[in-house]
């Protein structure tokens, strides 16, 4: 069962290492069990999603030893898809129980799954499962799994079923590896999206590589459907008590009914009098004459915001400006990243904006209230050492420390081989172990991993400012200077966070060693091996595990043998010809 699962799931470990120094979490351990679970649940589910376009939600909830779990998963009404999904969540849950089993009864592990479900073009159904595990040894991980189904026959579609050859070249613009496991594809309405670092991004140009041409079902013809059915995706009011059909013909099976004045969601509509509905039990057809489009209600924000609704916003990426709220409408302009626009109104994910003398529509999710300023970051310690820029180099980075056991061992190894690394320390721990931090700074460089390991995307502006202020204060106190490199917890730094960090470069990674998950030196080394050529790459590890210290004792001499120079992040950027700026997330330096 586990091996079929491996083939089908696409996994990305987005988030790592939660250190529960924060008082909030501390309190949780001293309150009642079920109250504690409730709070955890709220914290976690808040961060998950409520985009559930199809079917109904089913929930599994129980306690198994020290593991408390709650799993939301969809039932779409097609047994083949439903069986597949149920099997997946069962396997995920079982694996989690094996991986997170521990003897520490007094501490809990929390295991949550929530989902998003979208109807996509060419009658596909995209499922995104988000799995959050917070283990009793105080770490949190978020995994994202994506699945695409053919809704007609219920078949699971692999990337090869979905795309023509050549799609990977397009996708490598968005992620850093040509490796199938890294491609997390979602088809939503009439667009293809990728999930990168837990965030869904539209991938321009990828639609040209769509196939979906009957490799699964020989009778399945996309062209016919495309000609006959138009995408609607709106709510309609039912005009009469009528039945729902399995297929778009009166002779087909009746699979349900709707009552007058009920609201239904029409996904597609044909010229020949049929509408495809998304219902609580899946999809069904209704005769179009029995429904009428529901009039848009005036959004509340328009009625109470006074004389003007116009808001000044900034683009966070290059954005296509369209003549209508549809990606197939005329392209009016491409607005460059960081430009100012005036938002006139917002509806269904589209913002009507004024840009220079034009009025048009852009995707609302790429607009932010705070302007992202790109400013050069002045480093504390100028890059030094004897680096040959013509030879390959790789940066080792260590998060979550320092601690008193593993971190000194890692430092011993760096010292022994005379190589450098970057430590992204927690401010709270820097204050506790200042001597170790000073040694880190001497043998490498020290950036910040925030003060108390909060997910920055979830903080208010004030909370974010406070977290950053405390981080800087800790570094100032221990090292005498403020950090210039930030590794955000879980790699999370949305547009608002990027806009608010005005004097540090944000450094993520493009090689995840998964050391925190494996807690085994061989598996960790093997994971790094999977990435092949490491030149210009940033490796993510954690300085708080003895197994990581074990792995480093082998990895460093091995890298040197293979001709790599082992450097700090600042050195890597410098010798690869980059000037570090604010407002950008760096994953590596080619
Ligand atoms: Zn961390």
């Amino acid at each position: 069962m586990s091996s079929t699962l491996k083939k089908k799931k696409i996994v990305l470990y987005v988030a790592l290492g939660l250190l529960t120094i924060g008082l909030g979490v501390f309190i949780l351990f001293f309150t009642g069990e079920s109250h504690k679970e409730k709070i955890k649940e709220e914290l976690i589910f808040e961060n998950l999603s409520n985009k559930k376009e199809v079917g109904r939600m089913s929930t599994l909830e129980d306690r198994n030893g020290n593991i408390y779990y709650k799993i939301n998963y969809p039932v779409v009404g097609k047994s083949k898809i439903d069986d597949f999904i149920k099997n997946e969540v069962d396997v995920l849950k079982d694996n989690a129980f094996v991986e997170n089993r521990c003897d520490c009864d007094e501490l809990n592990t929390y295991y949550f799954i929530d989902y998003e479900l979208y109807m996509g073009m060419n009658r596909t159904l995209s499922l995104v499962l988000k799995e959050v595990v917070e283990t009793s040894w105080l770490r949190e991980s978020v995994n994202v799994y994506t699945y695409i189904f053919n809704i007609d026959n219920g078949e699971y579609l692999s990337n090869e079923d979905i795309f023509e050859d050549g799609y990977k070249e397009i996708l490598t613009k968005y992620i850093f590896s040509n490796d199938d496991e890294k491609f997390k594809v979602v088809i939503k309405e009439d667009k293809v999206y990728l999930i990168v670092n837990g965030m869904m991004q539209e991938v321009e140009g990828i639609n040209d590589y769509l196939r979906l041409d009957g490799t699964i079902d020989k009778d399945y013809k996309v062209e016919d459907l495309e000609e006959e059915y138009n995408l609607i995706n709106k709510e309609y009011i039912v005009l009469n008590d009528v039945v729902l059909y399995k297929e778009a013909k009166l002779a087909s099976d009746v699979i349900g009914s709707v009552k007058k004045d009920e609201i239904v969601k029409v996904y597609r509509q044909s010229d020949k009098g049929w509408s495809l509905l998304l219902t609580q039990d899946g999809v069904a057809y209704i005769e179009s004459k029995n429904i009428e489009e529901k009039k848009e209600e005036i959004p509340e924000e328009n009625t109470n915001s006074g004389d003007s609704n116009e808001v000044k916003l900034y683009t966070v990426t290059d954005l296509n400006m369209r003549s209508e709220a549809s990606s197939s409408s005329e392209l009016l302009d491409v607005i460059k990243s960081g430009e100012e626009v005036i938002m006139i109104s917002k509806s269904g994910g589209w913002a009507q904006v004024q840009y220079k003398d034009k009025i048009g529509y852009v995707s609302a999710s790429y607009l932010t209230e705070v302007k992202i300023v790109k400013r050069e970051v002045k480093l504390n310690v100028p890059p030094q050492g004897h680096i040959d820029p013509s030879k390959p180099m790789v940066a080792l980075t260590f998060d979550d420390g320092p601690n008193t056991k593993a971190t000194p061992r890692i430092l011993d190894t760096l010292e022994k081989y005379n190589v450098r690394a970057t430590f992204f320390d927690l401010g709270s721990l820097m204050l506790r172990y200042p001597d170790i931090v000073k040694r880190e700074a001497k043998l490498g460089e020290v950036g910040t991993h925030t003060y108390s390991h909060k997910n920055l995307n979830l903080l208010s502006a004030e909370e974010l400012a406070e977290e950053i202020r405390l981080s800087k204060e800790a570094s100032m106190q221990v090292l005498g200077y403020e950090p210039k490199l930030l590794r955000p917890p879980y790699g999370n730094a949305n547009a608002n966070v990027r806009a608010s960090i005005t004097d540090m470069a944000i450094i993520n990674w493009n090689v995840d060693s998964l050391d925190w998950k494996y807690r085994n030196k061989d598996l960790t080394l093997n994971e790094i091996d999977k990435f092949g050529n490491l030149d210009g790459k940033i490796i993510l590890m954690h300085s708080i595990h003895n197994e990581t210290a074990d792995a480093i004792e082998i990895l460093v001499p091995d890298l040197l043998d293979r001709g790599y120079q082992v450097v700090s992040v600042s050195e890597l950027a410098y010798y690869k010809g980059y000037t570090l700026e604010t407002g950008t997330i760096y994953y590596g330096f080619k």
Side-chain angles (χ1 to χ4, degrees):
M1 190 154 67
S2 163
S3 75
T4 51
L5 172 81
K6 285 226 167 60
K7 253 181 271 157
K8 285 166 179 165
K9 75 184 182 185
I10 307 165
V11 189
L12 180 73
Y13 293 93
V14 176
L16 299 150
L18 174 73
L19 222 105
T20 46
I21 294 302
L23 186 62
V25 185
F26 189 69
I27 289 165
L28 287 177
F29 285 104
F30 291 94
T31 53
E33 190 107 307
S34 67
H35 178 58
K36 184 164 68 185
E37 285 165 1
K38 193 87 216 142
I39 292 173
K40 270 277 158 255
E41 201 176 303
E42 279 166 12
L43 283 173
I44 304 252
F45 275 87
E46 190 185 20
N47 197 17
L48 296 173
S49 177
N50 53 7
K51 290 170 197 124
K52 300 173 169 53
E53 291 186 352
V54 187
R56 66 185 162 78
M57 186 170 90
S58 195
T59 300
L60 293 170
E61 183 182 8
D62 207 348
R63 165 170 282 287
N64 181 340
N66 67 320
I67 301 177
Y68 165 70
Y69 67 87
K70 182 165 181 178
I71 297 171
N72 291 335
Y73 66 98
V75 176
V76 299
K78 264 198 113 67
S79 59
K80 196 160 182 178
I81 297 176
D82 290 338
D83 292 349
F84 184 101
I85 294 171
K86 182 63 173 42
N87 182 57
E88 282 298 286
V89 295
D90 283 342
V91 171
L92 288 174
K93 183 183 66 156
D94 292 347
N95 287 347
F97 287 163
V98 173
E99 282 171 17
N100 296 306
R101 199 175 44 211
C102 86
D103 305 324
C104 39
D105 279 342
E106 76 280 13
L107 293 174
N108 281 310
T109 289
Y110 300 96
Y111 182 81
F112 298 103
I113 289 181
D114 199 11
Y115 70 92
E116 293 177 5
L117 196 58
Y118 302 102
M119 287 293 284
M121 69 179 98
N122 299 344
R123 297 177 56 79
T124 53
L125 186 64
S126 284
L127 171 66
V128 181
L129 290 183
K130 292 186 181 175
E131 177 193 52
V132 176
V133 191
E134 191 177 317
T135 64
S136 46
W137 29 287
L138 312 182
R139 316 207 120 260
E140 185 186 81
S141 71
V142 180
N143 303 319
V144 179
Y145 306 83
T146 64
Y147 311 84
I148 298 177
F149 303 95
N150 172 333
I151 58 168
D152 290 309
N153 59 20
E155 290 286 352
Y156 170 86
L157 299 167
S158 70
N159 285 350
E160 275 63 41
D161 299 325
I162 295 165
F163 292 114
E164 295 282 4
D165 289 345
Y167 70 94
K168 285 186 184 176
E169 282 65 43
I170 291 285
L171 292 181
T172 45
K173 268 192 355 199
Y174 295 85
I175 48 183
F176 321 97
S177 154
N178 215 349
D179 169 3
D180 238 12
E181 285 277 303
K182 304 279 168 188
F183 297 142
K184 303 153 62 54
V185 182
V186 174
I187 303 178
K188 187 180 160 189
E189 293 177 10
D190 58 347
K191 289 203 190 86
V192 179
Y193 296 83
L194 273 194
I195 297 180
V196 181
N197 283 343
M199 287 188 288
M200 211 183 277
Q201 299 188 353
E202 190 184 339
V203 182
E204 282 172 33
I206 197 68
N207 289 8
D208 302 341
Y209 290 83
L210 271 188
R211 183 156 70 190
L212 297 172
D213 61 358
T215 33
I216 296 294
D217 179 349
K218 296 284 175 262
D219 302 325
Y220 173 54
K221 286 223 171 49
V222 174
E223 302 78 39
D224 295 352
L225 277 166
E226 284 307 288
E227 268 173 42
E228 208 183 328
Y229 281 84
N230 301 312
L231 185 72
I232 302 290
N233 229 357
K234 279 190 187 143
E235 292 191 327
Y236 277 61
I237 298 171
V238 177
L239 302 174
N240 305 297
D241 294 355
V242 288
V243 296
L244 301 175
Y245 297 91
K246 192 176 176 189
E247 292 167 57
K249 52 189 177 198
L250 294 171
S252 114
D253 293 349
V254 170
I255 55 169
S257 64
V258 284
K259 291 217 175 317
K260 186 173 185 302
D261 294 332
E262 218 174 283
I263 305 293
V264 291
K265 183 149 184 197
V266 173
Y267 180 60
R268 283 179 183 274
Q269 213 162 49
S270 79
D271 306 334
K272 291 172 185 156
W274 287 95
S275 294
L276 176 65
L277 302 184
L278 304 179
T279 74
Q280 288 298 299
D281 303 310
V283 295
Y285 288 88
I286 190 170
E287 287 181 274
S288 301
K289 66 180 184 190
N290 292 318
I291 53 175
E292 184 182 81
E293 192 180 337
K294 192 175 159 228
K295 290 279 169 288
E296 281 282 318
E297 283 160 32
I298 299 158
E300 255 177 62
E301 44 199 295
N302 284 358
T303 52
N304 58 19
S305 65
D307 41 3
S308 172
N309 305 312
E310 297 187 350
V311 196
K312 193 197 283 181
L313 296 171
Y314 302 92
T315 55
V316 298
T317 181
D318 292 356
L319 268 189
N320 289 336
M321 185 190 203
R322 301 278 177 186
S323 61
E324 285 164 55
S326 153
S327 57
S328 53
S329 68
E330 190 195 340
L331 182 67
L332 298 180
D333 206 341
V334 178
I335 309 176
K336 287 267 168 234
S337 177
E339 292 281 297
E340 180 187 314
V341 300
I342 306 292
M343 184 166 80
I344 301 160
S345 64
K346 190 173 152 184
S347 160
W350 289 91
Q352 189 187 28
V353 297
Q354 181 179 349
Y355 173 64
K356 293 180 178 163
D357 56 343
K358 292 184 191 130
I359 289 184
Y361 293 83
V362 298
S363 175
S365 53
Y366 295 105
L367 297 176
T368 170
E369 285 171 27
V370 205
K371 186 173 171 64
I372 295 179
V373 179
K374 307 219 170 196
R375 206 179 278 138
E376 185 180 340
V377 173
K378 291 258 179 288
L379 297 169
N380 292 313
V381 190
Q384 49 185 304
H386 311 283
I387 309 295
D388 180 348
S390 68
K391 298 214 174 101
M393 58 187 100
V394 59
L396 298 180
T397 64
F398 297 95
D399 289 8
D400 292 2
N403 86 351
T404 53
K405 291 205 177 92
T407 312
R409 288 186 52 208
I410 291 167
L411 288 164
D412 290 345
T413 303
L414 298 181
E415 193 168 32
K416 178 175 172 188
Y417 294 99
N418 192 23
V419 298
R420 295 161 66 79
T422 303
F423 294 85
F424 290 105
D425 285 344
L426 291 167
S428 54
L429 294 179
M430 291 175 82
L431 295 176
R432 207 187 296 182
Y433 308 116
D435 292 343
I436 300 176
V437 177
K438 284 175 189 156
R439 192 171 169 225
E440 288 174 350
K442 193 172 148 237
L443 294 173
E445 70 181 335
V446 179
T448 184
H449 193 40
T450 75
Y451 185 78
S452 58
H453 211 282
K454 295 200 174 100
N455 181 344
L456 302 181
N457 287 358
L458 301 180
L459 301 184
S460 68
E462 294 73 30
E463 290 167 335
L464 176 63
E466 181 63 3
E467 187 69 21
I468 298 301
R469 190 186 68 77
L470 289 170
S471 312
K472 288 179 176 172
E473 208 175 85
S475 178
M476 200 69 191
Q477 204 166 318
V478 175
L479 295 173
Y481 50 78
E482 292 187 348
K484 296 297 175 186
L485 305 178
L486 167 69
R487 162 79 45 87
Y490 321 107
N492 281 351
N494 63 20
N496 281 322
V497 173
R498 298 205 300 280
S500 311
I501 309 289
T502 53
D503 52 3
M504 289 190 277
I506 301 174
I507 309 290
N508 276 352
W509 60 89
N510 50 12
V511 175
D512 187 347
S513 70
L514 301 180
D515 60 336
W516 62 274
K517 180 183 159 82
Y518 292 134
R519 302 288 295 272
N520 173 303
K521 74 172 190 305
D522 295 325
L523 292 175
T524 300
L525 293 169
N526 184 44
E527 190 67 30
I528 295 170
D529 262 355
K530 290 183 191 168
F531 289 85
N533 183 358
L534 297 171
D535 185 27
K537 293 203 164 93
I538 298 174
I539 302 180
L540 167 67
M541 303 184 96
H542 295 80
S543 56
I544 54 173
H545 302 307
N546 283 319
E547 298 85 350
T548 301
D550 296 340
I552 284 300
E553 283 169 6
I554 298 169
L555 181 66
V556 168
D558 181 54
L559 288 171
L560 294 173
D561 281 351
R562 287 156 62 195
Y564 290 105
Q565 303 171 94
V566 179
V567 299
S568 69
V569 167
S570 300
E571 287 168 341
L572 185 65
Y574 178 80
Y575 288 107
K576 289 290 182 185
Y578 284 76
T579 302
L580 292 174
E581 288 181 334
T582 59
T584 302
I585 301 179
Y586 296 95
Y587 299 90
F589 302 96
K590 285 238 158 142

